[in-house]
Amino acid sequence: MSKISNNNHATKKEAIVEKASKLFFEKGFRASSMRDLAERVGVEAASLYNHIKSKEELLQEICFKAAHQYMESIDAIEKEDNSYIQKIEKILRFHIDQMINNYEIVQVVDRDWKHLSEPHLSKYHNERRAYRKRITAIVEEGIKRNEVKDIDAPTAVLIMLHAVSGIESWHRSTQKISAKDLEENILLILLKGFSN
Amino acid sequence: MSKISNNNHATKKEAIVEKASKLFFEKGFRASSMRDLAERVGVEAASLYNHIKSKEELLQEICFKAAHQYMESIDAIEKEDNSYIQKIEKILRFHIDQMINNYEIVQVVDRDWKHLSEPHLSKYHNERRAYRKRITAIVEEGIKRNEVKDIDAPTAVLIMLHAVSGIESWHRSTQKISAKDLEENILLILLKGFSN
DNA sequence: TCTCTCATCTAACAGCCGTTAGTTTTTTCA
DNA sequence: TGAAAAAACTAACGGCTGTTAGATGAGAGA
């Protein structure tokens, strides 16, 4: 078979990683078994090992692919010639978009990255910290230029990143507002606050 | 033995639940074994079953104790004769306090409540939804009285609750600002926004 | 058509899991 | 001090885990 036969996936490995993302999202990494995954792929558990090295490799693929996307996003935002409040807005829009359109992966990474083993654990942890530091630097520059309130920048970053992860419950909600409305509401709240 | 002999715990069961909270916080519910837990309690795994019915009972204790505290908090806030923006502030302060002083339990509940089995799963899920609805009602009333911006109330609630959970990374940070500063910064950001 | 490659299969491994049974030790209380 | 109760122990269970070995089958290229 080799190519194109699998739905939108160049290789079978990619198809497995995608099924794994959904499974890990639903059950969590530790509660997901290779036999569960195999069933969803439509194959026996042992057959998976022709395409992957281990269960953990699946988690690695998921975590580092997400980390890579984050880095690309912040690269672009740093380069663009915008005000710092606009940069913050772009960061927020990127994360909101990820949570709306790519939320299985984002949730798995956030919840289960701690189950990586060394040296991947440290590598991932460092990338995560580096990413947050780059956002922190943008917030600090925004404060220095008086575009942003004089707040503790690391606290602001932590709120930005975690607030957005609440979109998880928007997905499960029955009376969803539209994705666009959701995005604008979140931006309004974080940039301008609740209070009138 | 029965009483007072255990450090601050009326019963051995309470001591076990507390050790379990810490273990589950560190490793996650599924990745924590009863043999792990027994070692921390200083006993063989089988001995735990003189005090508890099952591993899941530990998770139930943790989840429903937290849910009970949340309900008591919102009861009090609803009764107090305050403005609606003050009620929102009180809700935020309660959650910030929980994340600062009781974060192991809060994190375990948020991450692992899905591992409850029926009927506890549904019961917990309903309590969670009911709690959020009560907060949503407060936000909506605040909007009606023009104390709060005209935002989508469920979105606001989701941001409130998740933003605060970012305090998890404050705990792990090396250069912590004080708990009081953290609290005031979070309130400032959520009530007034980033933007100047 | 023959051969080589690679995906899939069945069977099994060693190890860990939550939990139980049955026994022994410790504590409680009269 | 002696009986009853509670809590600890050892040993083991059945089942599930990730993973490997080795046989079987199917498709690709000569």
Side-chain angles (χ1 to χ4, degrees):
Chain A
M1 59 124 228
S2 88
K3 303 252 162 143
I4 309 182
S5 75
N6 292 97
N7 226 8
N8 290 335
H9 295 107
T11 66
K12 184 120 195 182
K13 180 170 175 177
E14 285 179 36
I16 292 171
V17 171
E18 190 185 312
K19 296 276 189 191
S21 303
K22 292 215 165 117
L23 180 61
F24 295 168
F25 170 72
E26 288 170 29
K27 299 201 179 190
F29 178 70
R30 285 310 266 258
S32 301
S33 79
M34 295 304 276
R35 286 167 181 85
D36 276 346
L37 177 58
E39 194 176 349
R40 295 194 180 200
V41 176
V43 102
E44 291 299 316
S47 307
L48 296 170
Y49 289 84
N50 277 302
H51 307 278
I52 61 164
K53 287 203 290 289
S54 66
K55 183 185 181 188
E56 207 205 289
E57 192 199 6
L58 293 168
L59 187 59
Q60 290 163 23
E61 295 269 343
I62 293 167
C63 289
F64 287 105
K65 188 179 155 195
H68 181 70
Q69 286 180 339
Y70 281 29
M71 285 305 186
E72 283 198 331
S73 157
I74 195 78
D75 279 348
I77 290 169
E78 280 174 346
K79 277 183 194 131
E80 284 172 12
D81 187 24
N82 279 323
S83 74
Y84 282 80
I85 200 76
Q86 278 173 323
K87 283 177 197 279
I88 290 170
E89 189 177 321
K90 287 224 173 183
I91 294 167
L92 284 169
R93 285 192 195 274
F94 168 73
H95 279 275
I96 292 167
D97 176 74
Q98 287 288 307
M99 275 303 292
I100 289 174
N101 300 308
N102 200 21
Y103 64 106
E104 281 121 340
I105 285 177
V106 176
Q107 285 274 104
V108 169
V109 173
D110 277 357
R111 191 214 286 137
D112 289 327
W113 67 272
K114 289 182 188 177
H115 292 119
L116 290 169
S117 65
E118 295 294 356
H120 316 282
L121 180 62
S122 291
K123 188 187 169 203
Y124 179 79
H125 199 182
N126 287 338
E127 287 194 25
R128 192 180 176 92
R129 280 209 307 253
Y131 179 69
R132 293 191 177 192
K133 275 203 177 174
R134 289 168 76 176
I135 302 181
T136 306
I138 290 174
V139 172
E140 275 169 347
E141 189 62 28
I143 295 169
K144 199 175 288 178
R145 302 197 182 196
N146 226 34
E147 296 175 22
V148 174
K149 277 201 184 61
D150 187 20
I151 49 185
D152 181 58
T155 303
V157 172
L158 137 190
I159 287 183
M160 286 170 63
L161 297 181
H162 280 81
V164 164
S165 81
I167 294 173
E168 165 244 351
S169 41
W170 171 83
H171 275 106
R172 288 198 314 264
S173 121
T174 49
Q175 303 149 313
K176 288 200 235 288
I177 60 173
S178 75
K180 195 67 206 157
D181 283 350
L182 180 69
E183 182 168 343
E184 297 309 323
N185 266 281
I186 293 175
L187 276 161
L188 175 60
I189 292 170
L190 290 179
L191 294 179
K192 301 289 184 181
F194 291 145
S195 188
N196 247 340
Chain B
M1 62 126 236
S2 90
K3 305 253 160 143
I4 307 182
S5 74
N6 290 98
N7 225 9
N8 289 335
H9 296 107
T11 66
K12 185 121 196 180
K13 181 169 176 179
E14 285 178 35
I16 292 171
V17 171
E18 190 184 313
K19 296 277 190 191
S21 303
K22 292 214 165 116
L23 180 62
F24 295 167
F25 170 72
E26 288 170 30
K27 299 202 179 191
F29 178 70
R30 285 309 267 258
S32 301
S33 79
M34 294 304 276
R35 286 167 180 85
D36 276 347
L37 177 58
E39 195 177 348
R40 295 194 180 201
V41 175
V43 103
E44 292 298 317
S47 307
L48 296 171
Y49 290 84
N50 278 306
H51 306 278
I52 60 164
K53 286 204 289 289
S54 65
K55 183 187 182 188
E56 208 205 288
E57 192 199 7
L58 292 168
L59 187 59
Q60 290 163 23
E61 295 269 343
I62 293 167
C63 289
F64 287 106
K65 187 178 154 194
H68 180 70
Q69 285 180 340
Y70 281 29
M71 286 305 187
E72 283 198 331
S73 156
I74 195 79
D75 279 347
I77 290 169
E78 281 175 346
K79 277 183 195 133
E80 284 173 12
D81 188 24
N82 279 323
S83 74
Y84 282 80
I85 199 78
Q86 278 173 323
K87 283 177 196 280
I88 290 171
E89 189 177 321
K90 288 225 173 185
I91 294 168
L92 284 169
R93 287 192 195 274
F94 168 74
H95 279 275
I96 292 166
D97 176 74
Q98 286 288 307
M99 275 303 292
I100 289 175
N101 299 308
N102 200 23
Y103 64 106
E104 281 121 342
I105 285 178
V106 176
Q107 285 273 104
V108 169
V109 173
D110 278 356
R111 190 214 286 139
D112 290 326
W113 68 271
K114 289 182 189 178
H115 293 118
L116 290 170
S117 66
E118 295 294 358
H120 315 284
L121 179 63
S122 292
K123 187 186 170 205
Y124 179 78
H125 199 179
N126 288 338
E127 287 194 26
R128 193 181 177 91
R129 280 209 307 253
Y131 179 68
R132 292 190 178 194
K133 276 203 176 173
R134 289 169 76 176
I135 302 181
T136 307
I138 290 174
V139 173
E140 275 169 348
E141 189 61 28
I143 295 170
K144 199 175 288 178
R145 302 198 181 195
N146 227 33
E147 296 175 23
V148 175
K149 276 201 185 61
D150 187 20
I151 49 184
D152 181 60
T155 303
V157 172
L158 139 189
I159 288 184
M160 285 170 63
L161 297 181
H162 280 81
V164 164
S165 80
I167 294 174
E168 165 243 351
S169 40
W170 171 83
H171 275 107
R172 288 199 313 266
S173 123
T174 49
Q175 303 149 314
K176 287 201 234 291
I177 61 173
S178 76
K180 195 69 204 156
D181 283 351
L182 180 69
E183 182 169 343
E184 297 308 325
N185 265 280
I186 293 175
L187 276 160
L188 175 60
I189 292 169
L190 290 179
L191 295 178
K192 300 289 184 180
F194 291 144
S195 187
N196 245 340

